[in-house]
Each structure stands twice: as structure tokens, then as C-alpha cells.
Amino acid sequence: MLHHACEIDAVLSAAESFDERMALAHGVAADFGLTSLIYDYTPVRFSHEGDLINPSVLGMRAVPEDFGPLWCEGGYYQIDPVQQLAFRSPKPFVWSYRREGRTVLNPFLNADHERVVDYVHATRITCGMTVPVHLPDGGCATVTGICQDADADFDRVADVHLGGFTVLAHALHAANEPLFGVRERQSVAVRLTPRETECVRFAAEGLSAKEISLKLGRSAATVVMHLNAAARKLQARNRAQMIARAAHYRFLG
């Protein structure tokens, strides 16, 4: 069993690709009694309406076959109580969906989570642990280990391994993050073209459409077209709201 950060770092650094690192991390997670592993990263956690935004990067090992489609396309990610709790908490935590569970998750559950609760009981993935990795730029990665068919004393045993799993989670994100390109570092909620982004950034600096056109060597009408397109994608009613939402989605950085 790997206990120290340097050992885990050495294992992950031996792999070059994201998939290889996920596979190795999954092997380490097994040392903590976990059967499945999920890694996700999102540069922006919430939409301007307060909903969870699907991750830009998602890696899964040994989860049920329909897990990915349900979470990414079926809206389960937005009502996943583990994800909701992770985005609002700086602490790693053990969780259980069992009625007799006494984890931090149990008081958090309500009727809004019913579809997720039914699913985890049906697939026998009711217990696990999650580590939020909150980043300086406002983004967040979460690493979740799941124990399928967990023993009755999972909560107690998992507490013993939570520290080691936390080291693994941070090491996994540190190994994965350098692999991200521009697309992975952008929210999937809104996609602006490079020219739209450029025009919005100049607008945020206080430049008029005419001033932006002089900087870009394009007509003012073309600049207005790009700004209007960006505003539509950001669902903004005016330029001030467009800039505010562009800042929210990290287009101004």
C-alpha cells in the first residue's frame, strides 16, 4: 500500500497520458478499499443562474455503464448531492446514501436528489469518499472513490483511509492539470470564438466598437456583430451584463 505523497507522485508521473494516470490512480484507490474512481474538473462551478455546470474534464474507472450518460447528458450531475456538497466544502468527506448512514451527506439529502438516490441504491454504489480540490482561479476538481457493495462498517473504515485518499486526489489533479489545453480550461456552459472573446475583452476595458475596430483592423460593424453574438451566447441583455457574465465564465482572464 502506498502511504506517502512522494510514492503516489512517483506512480502517477510514470504515466504520460490522462487515461494512464487514471488507471494508475484507480489501482492506488483499491488500496483504500475503493472499487471505482471518478475525476472531474470544471473551471466554473456554477452558471449565472446557480446551476452546476458539467465538467470540462471527466475521467471514470469501473463505474456502471450508464453512469456517464446519465450524469453528463441526463442532468444527474446537476442534482448529485455529493457534487453539490463538494463544491460548497473545502474538506474531504466520507459519504453514504444508506438510511442508517451518519456521514456529512445524510442530513443534506432531500427530495431534489431522489433520482440519484434511487440510482445509487439500484447499482449498489451507496458509499464512498470525495476530495474537493478548490483552485486559486475559482475552478474546482473533485476526486471521488466509490465502494460497490460496501460493508456495514464502511463509514468507520473509510475514515481511516480518507487522509491517504486525499493525498492521492491532490496528486492526481497535479498530474492531470498540465495536460489541459485551452478547451479544457473553458467552461462548457458557454463557448465564445477567439474573435468574440477578444472583442469582449476590449469592451471590458472600456473601448467602444469603433476603438476596438481600429485595434483589430476590422470594421466597426464587424466588431458589433461579434459583440452581439457574444451577448446572445451569454444571454446578456446589454453590454454591462455581457461583461459581467464574461467575467463570471472566466473569459476576461
Side-chain angles (χ1 to χ4, degrees):
M1 179 181 291
L2 299 177
H3 294 283
H4 302 294
C6 59
E7 294 176 315
I8 294 175
D9 283 338
V11 168
L12 295 179
S13 64
E16 295 184 358
S17 72
F18 177 83
D19 287 341
E20 289 173 335
R21 289 173 181 176
M22 283 295 301
L24 288 171
H26 183 213
V28 177
D31 290 341
F32 304 125
L34 302 168
T35 57
S36 308
L37 184 70
I38 302 171
Y39 168 89
D40 64 77
Y41 163 77
T42 178
V44 183
R45 293 170 291 167
F46 300 98
S47 72
H48 59 271
E49 296 175 336
D51 298 322
L52 269 66
I53 299 174
N54 281 353
S56 300
V57 179
L58 178 64
M60 299 177 290
R61 287 293 179 276
V63 297
E65 188 174 342
D66 59 348
F67 185 98
L70 285 174
W71 257 252
C72 294
E73 301 158 24
Y76 279 47
Y77 187 83
Q78 283 66 40
I79 60 169
D80 184 341
V82 169
Q83 200 69 42
Q84 291 173 348
L85 190 58
F87 278 177
R88 291 173 168 87
S89 170
K91 294 180 177 179
F93 56 93
V94 173
W95 49 265
S96 171
Y97 284 90
R98 292 171 173 171
R99 291 179 180 85
E100 69 276 11
R102 297 184 178 181
T103 67
V104 66
L105 180 67
N106 298 100
F108 187 71
L109 296 175
N110 59 49
D112 295 338
H113 307 128
E114 184 175 352
R115 283 188 294 161
V116 172
V117 173
D118 289 346
Y119 178 85
V120 298
H121 279 286
T123 53
R124 311 186 317 279
I125 54 172
T126 56
C127 299
M129 57 183 79
T130 294
V131 178
V133 184
H134 293 280
L135 305 168
D137 61 1
C140 185
T142 60
V143 182
T144 293
I146 299 171
C147 181
Q148 189 172 42
D149 295 321
D151 293 335
D153 64 346
F154 175 83
D155 299 6
R156 179 183 59 79
V157 174
D159 277 337
V160 175
H161 294 306
L162 185 58
F165 185 69
T166 298
V167 172
L168 171 63
H170 282 269
L172 179 59
H173 174 70
N176 286 337
E177 196 273 338
L179 301 176
F180 298 166
V182 173
R183 194 166 185 84
E184 288 78 15
R185 297 179 192 278
Q186 293 179 344
S187 172
V188 300
V190 180
R191 294 290 194 189
L192 300 185
T193 67
R195 185 64 80 188
E196 289 164 358
T197 301
E198 193 173 29
C199 289
V200 170
R201 287 176 176 173
F202 280 129
E205 294 176 7
L207 275 63
S208 67
K210 183 176 181 179
E211 290 169 328
I212 296 172
S213 72
L214 293 174
K215 278 188 171 289
L216 298 181
R218 298 289 187 272
S219 69
T222 298
V223 170
V224 170
M225 178 188 70
H226 289 311
L227 290 174
N228 287 342
R232 283 194 301 272
K233 292 177 181 179
L234 292 164
Q235 299 177 15
R237 291 173 294 186
N238 51 51
R239 183 168 293 194
Q241 190 176 52
M242 177 190 70
I243 292 170
R245 290 187 176 176
H248 174 83
Y249 291 109
R250 309 288 191 270
F251 285 111
L252 303 186

